[in-house]
Amino acid sequence: VDAAMDLVHNHLWPTMAATDGHQLREDQEVINAAFADLVQCLCAEGFFHVVFRIAEEMPQRRCHVPDEFAYAQMIDSLCRSGQHHGASRIVYIMRKRGLCPSAVSYNCIVHGLCTSPKPGACLRAHQLVMEGTSFGYRPREVTYKVLVDELCRENELTKAKDVLELMLQPSSQCRKDGGEDAGDETRIRMYNVFLGALRTVDNPSEQLGVLVSMLQAGSKPDVITMNTVIHGFCKSGRAQEARRILDDMLNGKFCAPDVVTFTTLISGYLDAGDHAEALDVLHTLMPRRRCSPTVITYNCVLKGLFGLGQVDTAMQVLEEMNANNVA
């Protein structure tokens, strides 16, 4: 590493400083590649302190590697080595110089922290997300999902709601995979991702609160929204409350239910030991709505009935399944 740094300080940078402009433009790609290779090798060998030293010394030296390119390479190499906290340090060095990281570089750091097993990494990711608003950063949707999943798993609901509110703010920066703002469809998707994350909290009242917030904000819940809320109540053993939500859907207060809605409620009733209500949904509600059960629906019914010791009833359902030509 000493030899590599000697090459940088005493050969590479002085040579670039002495190169005339025309030749420098011709050699720029080679110079950039050399710098990127140096940083990547340093990170691969674990010499992270040297990378930080280069980052700190760049303003004092005539380095003909463009600043944004150099810092982006450091962030990329540090992230590849699992040093996401170190990569965030590069961001602070940039910010002190009045530079902003690219959305891609910043998202690499945030996403890496979200998926890191290190304690407190998701809290650090949340901090970076909120700080990134100062230069227009918004997490990509996949990063938003893993971040709110982790925050809810750590029971940091207030911070998770902060991120949701950020994603809901109308802005040209709020994009779908780099495209234009997709409007209410995107907003509903953001709500649905957050509702899914709340499953780990095991408190359907929180999901119900998000549903109310959606309605107050003028966003119309779709069937995924309603199925997620119903699943939350069923998972908590509150199948009757889930049934009331289904009744609201049947009465036109919300969107129409689909086969997933009925299957979720059936499974919830069976988990609660109420096979009569489950069979009523299967044999009365679903035919009334002309919604045909799938093999998944029947599998849930069979598993639940056998779990409750209702062997004869389960065999009747199996015969019914065959009669309905469900393989």
Side-chain angles (χ1 to χ4, degrees):
V1 70
D2 288 336
M5 290 310 300
D6 179 69
L7 179 66
V8 171
H9 289 304
N10 299 321
H11 179 73
L12 184 61
W13 283 353
T15 300
M16 288 189 292
T19 303
D20 65 80
H22 177 72
Q23 184 64 36
L24 182 61
R25 284 191 295 274
E26 290 185 355
D27 293 345
Q28 189 65 61
E29 289 187 9
V30 176
I31 293 167
N32 289 352
F35 183 85
D37 202 29
L38 171 67
V39 172
Q40 180 61 42
C41 290
L42 288 170
C43 288
E45 296 298 328
F47 294 109
F48 306 116
H49 64 286
V50 180
V51 176
F52 297 135
R53 197 166 83 209
I54 295 173
E56 293 283 3
E57 291 178 355
M58 277 180 60
Q60 287 79 43
R61 294 184 175 273
R62 288 193 62 194
C63 175
H64 285 284
V65 179
D67 289 343
E68 289 80 1
F69 175 85
Y71 287 126
Q73 289 301 314
M74 294 178 193
I75 290 172
D76 179 68
S77 296
L78 287 165
C79 287
R80 288 173 184 268
S81 300
Q83 299 295 313
H84 299 94
H85 285 284
S88 68
R89 179 176 166 185
I90 301 296
V91 172
Y92 282 118
I93 294 173
M94 294 181 70
R95 298 296 289 154
K96 282 193 301 182
R97 296 190 58 196
L99 301 173
C100 292
S102 70
V104 174
S105 293
Y106 204 72
N107 202 73
C108 283
I109 299 171
V110 173
H111 194 102
L113 289 169
C114 292
T115 56
S116 171
K118 295 179 181 178
C122 72
L123 297 179
R124 176 66 175 139
H126 170 265
Q127 180 186 3
L128 289 175
V129 167
M130 303 316 292
E131 290 176 355
T133 58
S134 64
F135 51 88
Y137 168 73
R138 297 287 183 92
R140 298 291 186 185
E141 288 187 24
V142 64
T143 303
Y144 159 70
K145 182 183 186 307
V146 294
L147 178 55
V148 293
D149 280 347
E150 288 301 315
L151 288 171
C152 287
R153 192 170 288 114
E154 303 234 351
N155 208 30
E156 295 284 354
L157 298 188
T158 301
K159 290 181 171 58
K161 289 175 183 176
D162 288 343
V163 182
L164 170 64
E165 289 301 319
L166 174 63
M167 298 298 289
L168 293 175
Q169 290 174 10
S171 169
S172 60
Q173 295 294 324
C174 186
R175 302 168 185 269
K176 177 187 176 183
D177 294 331
E180 293 299 323
D181 186 0
D184 198 52
E185 181 182 337
T186 297
R187 292 172 61 84
I188 293 170
R189 191 163 61 251
M190 295 304 100
Y191 278 117
N192 289 344
V193 168
F194 187 69
L195 285 167
L198 284 174
R199 289 175 179 174
T200 58
V201 180
D202 202 20
N203 184 356
S205 297
E206 288 285 350
Q207 292 182 321
L208 208 56
V210 175
L211 181 60
V212 172
S213 298
M214 287 185 71
L215 296 171
Q216 291 174 341
S219 294
K220 187 177 180 180
D222 61 11
V223 71
I224 297 174
T225 311
M226 304 310 300
N227 288 347
T228 305
V229 174
I230 287 174
H231 175 271
F233 278 105
C234 290
K235 182 183 175 185
S236 299
R238 297 158 67 177
Q240 286 300 335
E241 293 179 63
R243 174 61 183 269
R244 285 197 286 272
I245 295 174
L246 174 61
D247 289 340
D248 286 338
M249 296 175 72
L250 294 172
N251 293 331
K253 186 175 180 180
F254 299 107
C255 60
D258 61 7
V259 66
V260 177
T261 316
F262 291 113
T263 302
T264 302
L265 183 59
I266 288 170
S267 184
Y269 273 131
L270 290 169
D271 287 343
D274 194 344
H275 72 279
E277 288 285 0
L279 292 175
D280 179 65
V281 174
L282 178 67
H283 293 140
T284 304
L285 278 185
M286 293 188 73
R288 187 184 299 165
R289 297 293 298 188
R290 296 183 179 180
C291 183
S292 301
T294 65
V295 65
I296 297 173
T297 309
Y298 281 118
N299 286 348
C300 289
V301 174
L302 293 172
K303 178 183 177 183
L305 289 173
F306 276 115
L308 296 172
Q310 299 289 326
V311 177
D312 292 339
T313 307
M315 295 306 297
Q316 292 172 10
V317 171
L318 181 61
E319 292 175 3
E320 172 193 328
M321 183 179 176
N322 287 325
N324 290 336
N325 294 320
V326 179

PDB file of all heavy atoms in Angstrom, residues 105-124:
ATOM      1  N   SER A 105     -25.386   6.709  -6.172  1.00  0.00           N
ATOM      2  CA  SER A 105     -24.405   6.490  -5.104  1.00  0.00           C
ATOM      3  C   SER A 105     -25.068   6.522  -3.738  1.00  0.00           C
ATOM      4  O   SER A 105     -24.836   5.656  -2.883  1.00  0.00           O
ATOM      5  CB  SER A 105     -23.305   7.558  -5.174  1.00  0.00           C
ATOM      6  OG  SER A 105     -22.528   7.413  -6.335  1.00  0.00           O
ATOM      7  N   TYR A 106     -25.905   7.524  -3.519  1.00  0.00           N
ATOM      8  CA  TYR A 106     -26.545   7.682  -2.206  1.00  0.00           C
ATOM      9  C   TYR A 106     -27.487   6.522  -1.932  1.00  0.00           C
ATOM     10  O   TYR A 106     -27.550   6.007  -0.810  1.00  0.00           O
ATOM     11  CB  TYR A 106     -27.303   9.008  -2.163  1.00  0.00           C
ATOM     12  CG  TYR A 106     -27.496   9.552  -0.769  1.00  0.00           C
ATOM     13  CD1 TYR A 106     -26.427  10.079  -0.053  1.00  0.00           C
ATOM     14  CD2 TYR A 106     -28.745   9.556  -0.170  1.00  0.00           C
ATOM     15  CE1 TYR A 106     -26.597  10.587   1.221  1.00  0.00           C
ATOM     16  CE2 TYR A 106     -28.935  10.065   1.102  1.00  0.00           C
ATOM     17  CZ  TYR A 106     -27.864  10.584   1.801  1.00  0.00           C
ATOM     18  OH  TYR A 106     -28.038  11.087   3.076  1.00  0.00           O
ATOM     19  N   ASN A 107     -28.201   6.086  -2.968  1.00  0.00           N
ATOM     20  CA  ASN A 107     -29.127   4.976  -2.774  1.00  0.00           C
ATOM     21  C   ASN A 107     -28.389   3.675  -2.464  1.00  0.00           C
ATOM     22  O   ASN A 107     -28.882   2.837  -1.701  1.00  0.00           O
ATOM     23  CB  ASN A 107     -30.005   4.784  -4.010  1.00  0.00           C
ATOM     24  CG  ASN A 107     -31.284   4.060  -3.684  1.00  0.00           C
ATOM     25  OD1 ASN A 107     -32.189   4.606  -3.061  1.00  0.00           O
ATOM     26  ND2 ASN A 107     -31.372   2.810  -4.078  1.00  0.00           N
ATOM     27  N   CYS A 108     -27.190   3.505  -3.045  1.00  0.00           N
ATOM     28  CA  CYS A 108     -26.379   2.311  -2.727  1.00  0.00           C
ATOM     29  C   CYS A 108     -26.057   2.252  -1.237  1.00  0.00           C
ATOM     30  O   CYS A 108     -26.104   1.188  -0.618  1.00  0.00           O
ATOM     31  CB  CYS A 108     -25.083   2.322  -3.534  1.00  0.00           C
ATOM     32  SG  CYS A 108     -25.276   1.853  -5.257  1.00  0.00           S
ATOM     33  N   ILE A 109     -25.736   3.411  -0.660  1.00  0.00           N
ATOM     34  CA  ILE A 109     -25.402   3.463   0.766  1.00  0.00           C
ATOM     35  C   ILE A 109     -26.642   3.139   1.602  1.00  0.00           C
ATOM     36  O   ILE A 109     -26.609   2.287   2.494  1.00  0.00           O
ATOM     37  CB  ILE A 109     -24.867   4.859   1.149  1.00  0.00           C
ATOM     38  CG1 ILE A 109     -23.590   5.173   0.363  1.00  0.00           C
ATOM     39  CG2 ILE A 109     -24.591   4.928   2.643  1.00  0.00           C
ATOM     40  CD1 ILE A 109     -23.116   6.612   0.526  1.00  0.00           C
ATOM     41  N   VAL A 110     -27.738   3.818   1.302  1.00  0.00           N
ATOM     42  CA  VAL A 110     -28.972   3.626   2.079  1.00  0.00           C
ATOM     43  C   VAL A 110     -29.453   2.188   1.982  1.00  0.00           C
ATOM     44  O   VAL A 110     -29.788   1.555   2.988  1.00  0.00           O
ATOM     45  CB  VAL A 110     -30.061   4.607   1.604  1.00  0.00           C
ATOM     46  CG1 VAL A 110     -31.387   4.307   2.288  1.00  0.00           C
ATOM     47  CG2 VAL A 110     -29.644   6.046   1.877  1.00  0.00           C
ATOM     48  N   HIS A 111     -29.478   1.658   0.756  1.00  0.00           N
ATOM     49  CA  HIS A 111     -29.962   0.290   0.570  1.00  0.00           C
ATOM     50  C   HIS A 111     -29.065  -0.719   1.294  1.00  0.00           C
ATOM     51  O   HIS A 111     -29.547  -1.670   1.910  1.00  0.00           O
ATOM     52  CB  HIS A 111     -30.018  -0.047  -0.919  1.00  0.00           C
ATOM     53  CG  HIS A 111     -30.797  -1.286  -1.221  1.00  0.00           C
ATOM     54  ND1 HIS A 111     -32.079  -1.265  -1.700  1.00  0.00           N
ATOM     55  CD2 HIS A 111     -30.481  -2.597  -1.088  1.00  0.00           C
ATOM     56  CE1 HIS A 111     -32.518  -2.501  -1.861  1.00  0.00           C
ATOM     57  NE2 HIS A 111     -31.553  -3.324  -1.505  1.00  0.00           N
ATOM     58  N   GLY A 112     -27.750  -0.499   1.219  1.00  0.00           N
ATOM     59  CA  GLY A 112     -26.820  -1.397   1.914  1.00  0.00           C
ATOM     60  C   GLY A 112     -27.020  -1.394   3.411  1.00  0.00           C
ATOM     61  O   GLY A 112     -26.970  -2.441   4.075  1.00  0.00           O
ATOM     62  N   LEU A 113     -27.281  -0.214   3.986  1.00  0.00           N
ATOM     63  CA  LEU A 113     -27.548  -0.124   5.420  1.00  0.00           C
ATOM     64  C   LEU A 113     -28.861  -0.811   5.776  1.00  0.00           C
ATOM     65  O   LEU A 113     -28.981  -1.442   6.825  1.00  0.00           O
ATOM     66  CB  LEU A 113     -27.577   1.341   5.857  1.00  0.00           C
ATOM     67  CG  LEU A 113     -26.228   2.068   5.872  1.00  0.00           C
ATOM     68  CD1 LEU A 113     -26.427   3.566   6.069  1.00  0.00           C
ATOM     69  CD2 LEU A 113     -25.309   1.510   6.967  1.00  0.00           C
ATOM     70  N   CYS A 114     -29.854  -0.686   4.902  1.00  0.00           N
ATOM     71  CA  CYS A 114     -31.154  -1.320   5.156  1.00  0.00           C
ATOM     72  C   CYS A 114     -31.035  -2.837   5.263  1.00  0.00           C
ATOM     73  O   CYS A 114     -31.745  -3.476   6.047  1.00  0.00           O
ATOM     74  CB  CYS A 114     -32.144  -0.985   4.044  1.00  0.00           C
ATOM     75  SG  CYS A 114     -32.661   0.738   3.976  1.00  0.00           S
ATOM     76  N   THR A 115     -30.163  -3.415   4.456  1.00  0.00           N
ATOM     77  CA  THR A 115     -30.026  -4.873   4.418  1.00  0.00           C
ATOM     78  C   THR A 115     -28.869  -5.373   5.284  1.00  0.00           C
ATOM     79  O   THR A 115     -28.602  -6.572   5.302  1.00  0.00           O
ATOM     80  CB  THR A 115     -29.809  -5.335   2.969  1.00  0.00           C
ATOM     81  OG1 THR A 115     -28.668  -4.667   2.416  1.00  0.00           O
ATOM     82  CG2 THR A 115     -31.022  -5.017   2.113  1.00  0.00           C
ATOM     83  N   SER A 116     -28.206  -4.473   6.004  1.00  0.00           N
ATOM     84  CA  SER A 116     -27.070  -4.872   6.832  1.00  0.00           C
ATOM     85  C   SER A 116     -27.543  -5.536   8.124  1.00  0.00           C
ATOM     86  O   SER A 116     -28.511  -5.087   8.741  1.00  0.00           O
ATOM     87  CB  SER A 116     -26.220  -3.643   7.175  1.00  0.00           C
ATOM     88  OG  SER A 116     -25.228  -3.973   8.137  1.00  0.00           O
ATOM     89  N   PRO A 117     -26.869  -6.616   8.553  1.00  0.00           N
ATOM     90  CA  PRO A 117     -27.243  -7.262   9.818  1.00  0.00           C
ATOM     91  C   PRO A 117     -26.726  -6.527  11.053  1.00  0.00           C
ATOM     92  O   PRO A 117     -27.050  -6.903  12.177  1.00  0.00           O
ATOM     93  CB  PRO A 117     -26.594  -8.649   9.695  1.00  0.00           C
ATOM     94  CG  PRO A 117     -25.389  -8.418   8.828  1.00  0.00           C
ATOM     95  CD  PRO A 117     -25.787  -7.331   7.853  1.00  0.00           C
ATOM     96  N   LYS A 118     -25.928  -5.484  10.849  1.00  0.00           N
ATOM     97  CA  LYS A 118     -25.338  -4.773  11.981  1.00  0.00           C
ATOM     98  C   LYS A 118     -26.430  -4.033  12.772  1.00  0.00           C
ATOM     99  O   LYS A 118     -27.323  -3.424  12.178  1.00  0.00           O
ATOM    100  CB  LYS A 118     -24.279  -3.786  11.504  1.00  0.00           C
ATOM    101  CG  LYS A 118     -23.069  -4.444  10.851  1.00  0.00           C
ATOM    102  CD  LYS A 118     -22.062  -3.413  10.378  1.00  0.00           C
ATOM    103  CE  LYS A 118     -20.859  -4.079   9.710  1.00  0.00           C
ATOM    104  NZ  LYS A 118     -19.881  -3.085   9.208  1.00  0.00           N
ATOM    105  N   PRO A 119     -26.365  -4.069  14.110  1.00  0.00           N
ATOM    106  CA  PRO A 119     -27.370  -3.375  14.927  1.00  0.00           C
ATOM    107  C   PRO A 119     -27.384  -1.875  14.627  1.00  0.00           C
ATOM    108  O   PRO A 119     -26.337  -1.246  14.497  1.00  0.00           O
ATOM    109  CB  PRO A 119     -26.911  -3.652  16.363  1.00  0.00           C
ATOM    110  CG  PRO A 119     -26.043  -4.865  16.287  1.00  0.00           C
ATOM    111  CD  PRO A 119     -25.391  -4.804  14.946  1.00  0.00           C
ATOM    112  N   GLY A 120     -28.570  -1.331  14.509  1.00  0.00           N
ATOM    113  CA  GLY A 120     -28.714   0.104  14.301  1.00  0.00           C
ATOM    114  C   GLY A 120     -28.495   0.573  12.886  1.00  0.00           C
ATOM    115  O   GLY A 120     -28.591   1.774  12.606  1.00  0.00           O
ATOM    116  N   ALA A 121     -28.214  -0.361  11.954  1.00  0.00           N
ATOM    117  CA  ALA A 121     -27.926   0.049  10.576  1.00  0.00           C
ATOM    118  C   ALA A 121     -29.150   0.691   9.930  1.00  0.00           C
ATOM    119  O   ALA A 121     -29.028   1.674   9.185  1.00  0.00           O
ATOM    120  CB  ALA A 121     -27.457  -1.144   9.749  1.00  0.00           C
ATOM    121  N   CYS A 122     -30.351   0.156  10.210  1.00  0.00           N
ATOM    122  CA  CYS A 122     -31.540   0.725   9.572  1.00  0.00           C
ATOM    123  C   CYS A 122     -31.843   2.115  10.132  1.00  0.00           C
ATOM    124  O   CYS A 122     -32.373   2.976   9.419  1.00  0.00           O
ATOM    125  CB  CYS A 122     -32.745  -0.193   9.742  1.00  0.00           C
ATOM    126  SG  CYS A 122     -33.443  -0.271  11.397  1.00  0.00           S
ATOM    127  N   LEU A 123     -31.473   2.376  11.401  1.00  0.00           N
ATOM    128  CA  LEU A 123     -31.658   3.718  11.965  1.00  0.00           C
ATOM    129  C   LEU A 123     -30.720   4.709  11.281  1.00  0.00           C
ATOM    130  O   LEU A 123     -31.086   5.867  11.031  1.00  0.00           O
ATOM    131  CB  LEU A 123     -31.410   3.698  13.470  1.00  0.00           C
ATOM    132  CG  LEU A 123     -32.368   2.836  14.300  1.00  0.00           C
ATOM    133  CD1 LEU A 123     -32.003   2.893  15.777  1.00  0.00           C
ATOM    134  CD2 LEU A 123     -33.811   3.294  14.102  1.00  0.00           C
ATOM    135  N   ARG A 124     -29.510   4.247  10.980  1.00  0.00           N
ATOM    136  CA  ARG A 124     -28.561   5.090  10.252  1.00  0.00           C
ATOM    137  C   ARG A 124     -29.087   5.359   8.834  1.00  0.00           C
ATOM    138  O   ARG A 124     -28.967   6.479   8.322  1.00  0.00           O
ATOM    139  CB  ARG A 124     -27.207   4.382  10.194  1.00  0.00           C
ATOM    140  CG  ARG A 124     -26.144   5.110   9.381  1.00  0.00           C
ATOM    141  CD  ARG A 124     -25.752   6.412  10.019  1.00  0.00           C
ATOM    142  NE  ARG A 124     -24.659   7.042   9.296  1.00  0.00           N
ATOM    143  CZ  ARG A 124     -24.571   8.338   9.047  1.00  0.00           C
ATOM    144  NH1 ARG A 124     -25.526   9.149   9.471  1.00  0.00           N
ATOM    145  NH2 ARG A 124     -23.541   8.822   8.401  1.00  0.00           N
TER     146      ARG A 124
END
